[in-house]
Amino acid sequence: MKISTGEKAFYKINNIVLFIISLSCLLPLIYIIATSFSSGAAIESGKVFLWPVDFTPAAYKVLIVSTDLFKYFKNSIVVTVVGTALSMIFTILCAYPLSKRKLFARRKVTFLIVFTMLFSGGLIPTYLLVKSLGLMNSYWSIWLTTLISPYNMLIMKSFFENISEELEEAARIDGCSEWRILLQMYLPLSKAVIATLCLFYGVAYWNSFLKVLMYISDSKGYTLPVLIQQMVFQLEQIKLGTNSDIGAISGSGDVISESVKSAGVVVLILPMLAVYPFLQKYFVKGVMLGSVKG
């Protein structure tokens, strides 16, 4: 089909706008990475923009030596992996029966779940509930309070509803139970949406900050976001004592608090950046599947 002049102009303008939006998202990330690898003198003089000046990894050395970075990193991995697995299991178990049109009170239950997207119990009641259940200083306080995302559940439910009923009827004729239909028919057909929701849950758990700060009082259980927050707060209040204190750790006197904070941010976002390319091909497909009927 021939594209009109107006359509060509629209596509060009659209591409330009999208390119500008992409740059607005990408440039801050590039700047943070460049700052983390630049010398203190270059940062203070404003020479750093999109490329490290006087390249040095000293800020990362300060971050590793002055904090128990690997312990916090391990805690974040535990929270993310276990939390994502639990959330996916219960999201699937919730979405599957609600996708069945014959389920009793299906619409009422769905409404109650959607209702929680608009109104919640509140921060203080949730905290008191977690405390009364004895979940303080336990990762279960994080996993149970964010176990199912209503939005993610609705995506999964919508996808299940679009799976052909004829396939399910054929499976029942062959004697398949509900569990077998779910595990051997629905889940293999749902790889794209499962990968997408794993990414959603994974990012949410990896960036968990407020819940860890509220429910985990033992510093041994802190995750990377809390470590970065504490480090930033400390550097803002006392600037790690003096720049010479930072230099004593890094072996270089040309490291400032700004580069150390940037290094912490890079360490925090690097795992998600590494995982995303492997799930990107499922991302758009997984979200859009189930959004169109028929």
Side-chain angles (χ1 to χ4, degrees), residues 89-117:
I89 290 172
F90 283 92
T91 297
I92 292 171
L93 292 179
C94 180
Y96 178 71
L98 290 178
S99 66
K100 304 302 179 183
R101 294 178 175 83
K102 297 180 180 179
L103 180 68
F104 175 74
R106 169 174 171 262
R107 292 186 177 181
K108 294 181 180 179
V109 174
T110 303
F111 170 77
L112 292 176
I113 294 175
V114 174
F115 184 81
T116 63
M117 298 175 66

Side-chain angles (χ1 to χ4, degrees), residues 119-138:
F119 304 96
S120 64
L123 194 63
I124 295 177
T126 303
Y127 176 84
L128 295 176
L129 175 62
V130 170
K131 187 176 182 180
S132 65
L133 292 175
L135 298 177
M136 301 297 290
N137 278 323
S138 169

Side-chain angles (χ1 to χ4, degrees), residues 5-294:
T5 304
E7 289 176 329
K8 291 181 180 179
F10 170 78
Y11 290 142
K12 290 181 179 179
I13 296 173
N14 189 45
N15 290 336
I16 292 173
V17 172
L18 291 176
F19 178 74
I20 294 174
I21 294 175
S22 300
L23 281 182
S24 68
C25 298
L26 189 60
L27 289 180
L29 175 61
I30 296 176
Y31 173 76
I32 289 292
I33 296 175
T35 302
S36 69
F37 284 107
S38 299
S39 65
I43 297 172
E44 290 181 329
S45 61
K47 296 179 181 178
V48 181
F49 181 49
L50 298 179
W51 194 259
V53 179
D54 299 331
F55 183 89
T56 173
Y60 292 90
K61 183 176 180 180
V62 172
L63 182 64
I64 294 173
V65 173
S66 62
T67 63
D68 198 350
L69 180 65
F70 296 105
K71 180 184 73 176
Y72 291 104
F73 194 86
K74 183 187 72 174
N75 291 343
S76 289
I77 291 177
V78 171
V79 170
T80 302
V81 172
V82 178
T84 301
L86 289 173
S87 292
M88 283 306 306
I89 290 172
F90 283 92
T91 297
I92 292 171
L93 292 179
C94 180
Y96 178 71
L98 290 178
S99 66
K100 304 302 179 183
R101 294 178 175 83
K102 297 180 180 179
L103 180 68
F104 175 74
R106 169 174 171 262
R107 292 186 177 181
K108 294 181 180 179
V109 174
T110 303
F111 170 77
L112 292 176
I113 294 175
V114 174
F115 184 81
T116 63
M117 298 175 66
L118 306 175
F119 304 96
S120 64
L123 194 63
I124 295 177
T126 303
Y127 176 84
L128 295 176
L129 175 62
V130 170
K131 187 176 182 180
S132 65
L133 292 175
L135 298 177
M136 301 297 290
N137 278 323
S138 169
Y139 290 146
W140 285 105
S141 61
I142 302 171
W143 296 329
L144 292 181
T145 53
T146 53
L147 190 60
I148 297 179
S149 165
Y151 175 76
N152 292 345
M153 192 281 297
L154 291 176
I155 292 177
M156 182 66 74
K157 171 179 171 291
S158 179
F159 177 82
F160 283 162
E161 287 175 342
N162 282 329
I163 293 179
S164 174
E165 293 183 358
E166 286 75 11
L167 290 176
E168 183 175 345
E169 291 175 0
R172 293 187 186 281
I173 292 174
D174 290 338
C176 292
S177 63
E178 290 289 349
W179 282 106
R180 191 172 179 183
I181 291 173
L182 173 62
L183 296 176
Q184 296 187 0
M185 188 180 77
Y186 274 69
L187 295 189
L189 294 173
S190 309
K191 291 180 180 179
V193 70
I194 288 175
T196 301
L197 297 188
C198 282
L199 180 63
F200 287 169
Y201 278 124
V203 171
Y205 279 113
W206 184 263
N207 293 327
S208 294
F209 169 72
L210 183 59
K211 290 184 182 294
V212 176
L213 208 58
M214 287 176 53
Y215 303 137
I216 309 295
S217 58
D218 188 354
S219 60
K220 294 181 180 179
Y222 286 166
T223 56
L224 272 179
V226 178
L227 168 66
I228 303 302
Q229 182 271 341
Q230 290 186 335
M231 183 185 66
V232 171
F233 179 78
Q234 181 184 11
L235 292 175
E236 289 296 332
Q237 295 298 317
I238 63 176
K239 299 295 183 181
L240 283 179
T242 61
N243 282 345
S244 61
D245 293 336
I246 303 178
I249 298 174
S250 64
S252 170
D254 197 19
V255 182
I256 63 173
S257 59
E258 193 67 30
S259 60
V260 179
K261 289 186 288 186
S262 298
V265 174
V266 171
V267 171
L268 178 62
I269 65 177
L270 189 59
M272 290 296 104
L273 290 178
V275 171
Y276 181 77
F278 297 99
L279 299 178
Q280 190 270 342
K281 64 179 180 180
Y282 300 108
F283 188 76
V284 175
K285 182 180 179 182
V287 174
M288 295 303 296
L289 282 174
S291 62
V292 180
K293 298 290 184 182

